[in-house]
Amino acid sequence: MPVITINGPIGCGSVTVGQMVSHDLDISFVDRLVFTQAARMVGSPVGVLIDKEQRVVRFRDRLGRFVQTMLERSAVAGVSGEPYFGRGIETLPPETFAELSGERPSTSEVDDKVFLEATTRVVHDLYNNGDVVIIGRGANVILANTPGVVHVGLLAPTVMRVETMMQREHLDRDEAEVYVRELDEAWATYFRKFFKTSPTDPARYHMMLNMEKLTAKTAAAAIVHACGDLES
Amino acid sequence: MGCGLLSLSMPSQRPMNRMSISVLGRTMFPDVSLVQVTREDVQRMRGWLNDPEVNTMWYGSDDDGFPLHLGYSPHTILESSHDEWQATFVSEDRKILSVYSADGEHIGEGQLAIEWPLMECQLVLIVGRKDLWHHHYGTMALIKLLDEAFSAQGLHRVWVDVPEYNEHALRMFRHVGFVLEGHMRKTHRKDGEWYDYYAMGLLVDEYSRRRARLMGTTAV
């Protein structure tokens, strides 16, 4: 029951290689389905979970959050009880106006602990079922000390990944460079925040493959070969 | 990990009597509309599902030989009371809509099974008129259903489960921008055989970009 995790930065070919391995070994392939199942567990839209992995928190976001927190604190303490702004917490509903009107359910953030627990459970369920290639989502850390798993890290130079994203997403070069840079940053932040490690730490993998030097087919063949060690 | 449900009926036989139009390399999609289901529509659905060629690509039949369908049974709903009919076809949680061509012919059915807490839905689409298969009626109906899901209903994600034997549907969903979220081996059972299924999903921001390219119009 081979279980393989493949982790790499955006545009390095994780999905292509993962699908080839899945095909060659005749086992399942799971990519974003990890988060869609975790979202089902926590009862939130999957975008809230994807945001935790891919969202780049910029300074203006942090500033906005800081201001919001200060307003909420002052409201709770009743210090915003000015004549023009009302007197306290009832003037600051936590929901948006659309939510208050019942137009749509709340999409407020999922607690980090709940998110991590749900993601961990989905990955462990996949492991227990066996015969699966899991793409990203920190599965290599979640299953770090689990027997019968091959952890594969992929890497590729930024310029090559920018070219890939230009073709795949129909972006111009400047847009693709920004896209790759922001997702790289979010990827590192995700691993640092939830797993206290770096996604590029070679100690986290059985093998790291440089996709600048290998075709996807060769990389897949190497991974399939490595899985033979699990069975011997 | 979920269940293996079909999402589209698009067999591979290519009819000859209708042609899609291509202008300067861009496919001109035939216009379709989504309308409320009538009892006459359900009667036609029953006829289509009784066609072995359609049924083979859909859900197969139950133990009594009746064709399986999602959301309602075409064989029993026609005998239902007004209240039962309304509960089935006027629901906030499952939008069932008939697909009509521009010349006013009923050609199929689409459904959105909505899970409001997750702000997502499962999309189901069948083109029952075999003579219209492979002429982009399914693609256009899919786009209309996605517009309904994302714009009218304000959902965040639409997903489909496609069995491995429905290759045309897989191509169509990919073409419209659905992302492969998972490929589960031998988890879909039909007529005594186990098949792979592909779980595909589309997020609202992914669709906005893709739709603009597909239609040559502004994003929804």
Side-chain angles (χ1 to χ4, degrees):
Chain A
M1 49 168 283
V3 175
I4 299 133
T5 71
I6 301 178
N7 192 36
I10 185 76
C12 73
S14 303
V15 171
T16 304
V17 172
Q19 286 184 262
M20 286 179 171
V21 172
S22 155
H23 178 267
D24 290 349
L25 293 174
D26 195 24
I27 60 178
S28 295
F29 166 87
V30 170
D31 188 359
R32 198 161 70 188
L33 208 59
V34 170
F35 277 170
T36 66
Q37 294 299 316
R40 197 165 289 278
M41 280 182 187
V42 302
S44 284
V46 68
V48 176
L49 276 64
I50 292 172
D51 265 2
K52 287 190 181 291
E53 185 191 43
Q54 297 186 353
R55 185 171 178 220
V56 180
V57 181
R58 299 183 183 83
F59 175 72
R60 62 173 178 272
D61 297 321
R62 289 198 292 270
L63 180 64
R65 200 169 294 167
F66 171 76
V67 170
Q68 185 184 354
T69 302
M70 292 309 291
L71 277 170
E72 286 170 355
R73 283 180 185 164
S74 65
V76 170
V79 296
S80 66
E82 303 166 17
Y84 299 110
F85 297 102
R87 66 177 184 80
I89 194 166
E90 54 273 80
T91 63
L92 288 166
E95 304 90 349
T96 65
F97 287 111
E99 289 159 7
L100 283 172
S101 67
E103 287 178 10
R104 64 178 67 163
S106 171
T107 58
S108 57
E109 286 201 7
V110 172
D111 179 78
D112 286 348
K113 186 166 175 283
V114 171
F115 162 76
L116 188 56
E117 282 174 356
T119 304
T120 299
R121 192 169 146 197
V122 172
V123 169
H124 276 291
D125 284 349
L126 288 168
Y127 168 76
N128 290 332
N129 286 332
D131 289 336
V132 65
V133 176
I134 307 172
I135 303 297
R137 276 83 210 187
N140 63 311
V141 186
I142 293 169
L143 299 175
N145 300 311
T146 313
V149 187
V150 172
H151 300 298
V152 180
L154 302 185
L155 57 97
T158 301
V159 65
M160 178 181 159
R161 296 187 290 117
V162 166
E163 293 283 348
T164 299
M165 299 319 294
M166 287 170 65
Q167 289 174 19
R168 190 194 300 170
E169 299 292 330
H170 302 272
L171 303 173
D172 65 32
R173 184 168 297 280
D174 288 346
E175 289 171 333
E177 283 175 353
V178 170
Y179 188 68
V180 166
R181 188 170 60 243
E182 291 195 343
L183 282 179
D184 280 357
E185 188 186 325
W187 186 51
T189 303
Y190 174 74
F191 270 76
R192 190 168 58 243
K193 180 177 179 181
F194 290 103
F195 304 113
K196 313 290 184 252
T197 188
S198 163
T200 54
D201 178 359
R204 294 284 181 184
Y205 302 101
H206 289 79
M207 63 168 84
M208 292 198 79
L209 303 174
N210 185 346
M211 299 308 294
E212 186 186 24
K213 310 289 185 189
L214 299 170
T215 64
K217 190 176 175 185
T218 304
I223 296 167
V224 169
H225 183 74
C227 287
D229 291 347
L230 291 175
E231 295 162 4
S232 60
Chain B
M1 293 295 297
C3 57
L5 296 179
L6 309 179
S7 293
L8 188 79
S9 179
M10 283 284 181
S12 56
Q13 188 178 336
R14 183 176 290 274
M16 300 298 290
N17 58 337
R18 294 213 183 208
M19 300 296 289
S20 56
I21 305 163
S22 183
V23 178
L24 297 176
R26 178 181 292 280
T27 301
M28 305 298 285
F29 294 110
D31 195 19
V32 301
S33 55
L34 304 176
V35 301
Q36 201 166 7
V37 177
T38 66
R39 288 183 188 265
E40 290 73 28
D41 292 344
V42 172
Q43 277 177 337
R44 277 185 289 271
M45 273 296 294
R46 186 159 75 173
W48 292 330
L49 292 174
N50 278 329
D51 182 332
E53 199 177 353
V54 177
N55 184 259
T56 298
M57 300 304 290
W58 202 237
Y59 288 87
S61 301
D62 64 17
D63 293 341
D64 297 323
F66 288 110
L68 293 167
H69 190 44
L70 273 186
Y72 67 95
S73 166
H75 288 266
T76 58
I77 197 74
L78 286 171
E79 317 303 325
S80 67
S81 66
H82 174 76
D83 287 349
E84 287 173 310
W85 180 274
Q86 291 293 103
T88 301
F89 292 106
V90 188
S91 165
E92 287 297 306
D93 298 329
R94 181 181 286 273
K95 306 284 178 191
I96 305 177
L97 299 160
S98 286
V99 181
Y100 273 72
S101 64
D103 51 5
E105 293 183 43
H106 179 216
I107 64 170
E109 183 185 280
Q111 298 187 15
L112 303 174
I114 302 172
E115 294 178 89
W116 287 109
L118 303 177
M119 293 181 70
E120 65 180 41
C121 72
Q122 180 191 13
L123 184 147
V124 181
L125 174 60
I126 176 170
V127 175
R129 281 274 302 273
K130 289 189 294 184
D131 58 317
L132 300 184
W133 284 347
H134 307 294
H135 293 294
H136 304 292
Y137 284 89
T139 304
M140 196 60 217
L142 174 59
I143 289 168
K144 290 286 174 92
L145 281 166
L146 290 170
D147 287 350
E148 171 70 20
F150 289 127
S151 294
Q153 302 299 326
L155 298 177
H156 173 74
R157 173 176 172 257
V158 173
W159 60 272
V160 293
D161 280 346
V162 189
E164 62 178 310
Y165 48 79
N166 205 338
E167 292 175 8
H168 188 90
L170 283 167
R171 278 199 301 276
M172 185 186 70
F173 286 121
R174 279 202 186 98
H175 179 65
V176 171
F178 277 78
V179 174
L180 179 66
E181 296 180 337
H183 173 188
M184 313 310 285
R185 300 279 178 183
K186 309 300 175 207
T187 43
H188 171 68
R189 189 170 169 82
K190 192 182 109 172
D191 298 334
E193 297 287 328
W194 289 96
Y195 298 94
D196 295 0
Y197 85 80
Y198 294 84
M200 306 178 84
L202 185 63
L203 305 180
V204 61
D205 55 340
E206 293 169 342
Y207 180 58
S208 296
R209 292 196 299 269
R210 191 70 186 188
R211 190 188 193 284
R213 283 207 299 275
L214 270 172
M215 306 297 291
T217 58
T218 53
V220 291

